[in-house]
Amino acid sequence: MSSSLIQLKNVSMKFGGVTALSDVSFDVKEKEILGLIGPNGAGKTTVFNVITGVYQITSGEIIFEGKSLSGIKRYEITRRGVARTFQSIRLWGDMTALENVITATDTHKKSGLVLGLFGFPVSRREEKRDKARAQELLDFVGIGEYSDRLAKNLPYGVQRRLEIARAMGAEPKLLLLDEPAAGFNPAEKVDLAATIRKIRDAGYTVLLIEHDMSLVMKVSDRVVVLDFGQKIADDSPGKVQDDPRVIEAYLGVPENAS
Amino acid sequence: MINLRDKGAEIWENQGRVGRVVLALCGVTVVASLPFLGGTILNTPIADYESVLVYPIAMFVLMAIGLNIVIGKSGLLDLGYVAFFAIGAYTMGLLGTKTGLNTWEILPIGIAMAMFSGIILGIPALKLRGDYLAIITLGFGEIVRIVALNLGALGRSEGILNIPTPPAIFGIEYTFDSHRIYYWTLLVLILLAIWMVRRLSARRAGRAWESIRQDEDAAELLGVPTFRYKIWAFVLGASVGGAAGVFYASKTLFIAPDNFTLQISILILACVVFGGMGNIWGVILGAVILGYLPDRIRFISDARLLVFGLVLVIMMNLRPDGLLPRKKREKTIDKKDAT
Ligand SMILES: Nc1ncnc2c1ncn2[C@@H]1O[C@H](COP(=O)(O)OP(=O)(O)OP(=O)(O)O)[C@@H](O)[C@H]1O
Ligand SMILES: [Mg+2]
């Protein structure tokens, strides 16, 4: 068994009276694709938000590579190796696709503003390398030809893929994908599934939120199911699909239940 | 409406290295020879033409470039920019009259003072966003003026008199009425500021600012240290304002709190918005037009703020991005699905 990259330990997240996550524990192992599913409002996006530091958890602990993430600044969490996409696309619309990705690759760069100002060779070399790297990532997710287009003018599907390339630009170990296939047709979904597997094969660990069951079950090594903020299953795709509690959560309470 | 910005950028991008140097030199020559055109249609009936070139025009241009780093590049609404101008000017006034330092020696000190106050203001203010930031910067601008008004060392409402002119440099003498010399010196400062902004815009800092302006939370979550870059934007903007202030004091020889009212902040802001937030050439054009017209056309001079207000309202409706808007061009434009 490979080791955990990230562990959520008894994580709870309350918003006033609303409990979005209640005592949730699971981990993501290195080089794994973990599917995170659940009905609308189950708390999936909230999991991403607490991991990336958007919200401070009410109780519990989140451990990434053996160290707690609590109280760490959001950009520092990204620098440690966690990057995400957004359920509702949040690209920088007035920047080109390539610039979107380069901005994220800047995350790990040494040469700051002063070096850049005076055009020191370090800065110029990095600039060149970053550009090449960003283009590589665009090619990797299959949208290389769009590199010079403004993000806001890109077709929807390309924007979704650009979100993934941008997150990969931050060179994360853990990639959080929030419904990357939302709004895709079946053929596009098949393509995306291949891309997600390719991402894992390139050495990333993926935590994937997705509503499309067949897609999740096909690409995930393991699936965690949330319902009303609680974890109700954590198993292989095959077992999860047959789990009565999962079926119940998705189909409502069966009539013969007590 | 024809797209001036794209035309200009196209001409520039189609040049090789030599072509660009030639173009830049031509541009600088034309601008530098403006003081000799006093007898032409450009002449200003209200104030002396050459002094108008120095203040307001060149001074506005310099300050607008500085404010543009803050507002145009990073999207931080700073309504108290005049504070940095004042800090530069009072540094010059105080050190110039109380110590033996000359303008060139005080210039870096004035810039440093402005940058330092940029940090002092930025650390609390930049934790806030949007309207709150606008209000706190507005307050800062007023506080600086009120401090000057009440501090004995700064001369209270009388201000500081007899500030020295810059000493001769490279055999060039600065006398009280050698406007064109001041103009050319300001031109050098402006070119330096343009160089700095263009350099930074094309690199990491420019991208970080751009991402912050468009979606600050997304920027932070993708690893951009947003707070640090906002402070940088503030501090660099302050440095330009400070430099302008030092030079202003050394030109007018007399400064008082009345020179540093909220109105200056608003005028510079108007230059930036009118010209084209985020585009340095637009901002320069805006500052030139808004600096020049009131002295050219008497009617505007009499009702300066009213006319500026009207112009801004009309602009916001007809051309909300300003005369020369920021870059929106794509190298391979596909008109079909461009929105
Ligand atoms: N900032 C917030 N303030 C208050 N309530 C919130 C906040 N964020 C999330 N919630 C609540 O937490 C619950 C879980 O929301 P979340 O967005 O995590 O669901 P989800 O599983 O991602 O759903 P979907 O499939 O619709 O995206 C919802 O009831 C939501 O209203
Ligand atoms: Mg969600």
Side-chain angles (χ1 to χ4, degrees), chain A residues 15 18 20 38-47 55 87 179 211:
Chain A
F15 298 104
V18 181
N40 288 110
K44 306 180 295 294
T45 299
T46 304
V47 168
Y55 304 130
Q87 183 171 354
E179 301 195 23
H211 270 301

Side-chain angles (χ1 to χ4, degrees), chain A residues 31-46:
Chain A
K31 313 265 151 56
E32 178 181 46
I33 300 177
L34 180 68
L36 182 60
I37 65 171
N40 288 110
K44 306 180 295 294
T45 299
T46 304

Side-chain angles (χ1 to χ4, degrees), chain A residues 45-114:
Chain A
T45 299
T46 304
V47 168
F48 281 16
N49 284 337
V50 296
I51 292 176
T52 54
V54 175
Y55 304 130
Q56 296 297 318
I57 50 180
T58 317
S59 63
E61 204 177 7
I62 301 175
I63 311 272
F64 180 73
E65 290 193 308
K67 290 197 207 111
S68 167
L69 287 183
S70 73
I72 310 271
K73 292 203 177 77
R74 291 177 293 175
Y75 72 87
E76 282 292 348
I77 293 177
T78 310
R79 288 179 173 198
R80 285 204 189 174
V82 182
R84 68 180 289 179
T85 67
F86 297 90
Q87 183 171 354
S88 51
I89 295 172
R90 288 182 78 168
L91 295 166
W92 299 301
D94 282 337
M95 290 166 115
T96 65
L98 193 74
E99 286 168 342
N100 266 273
V101 182
I102 300 180
T103 305
T105 63
D106 289 345
T107 302
H108 296 282
K109 291 308 163 334
K110 298 281 167 298
S111 86
L113 186 135
V114 178

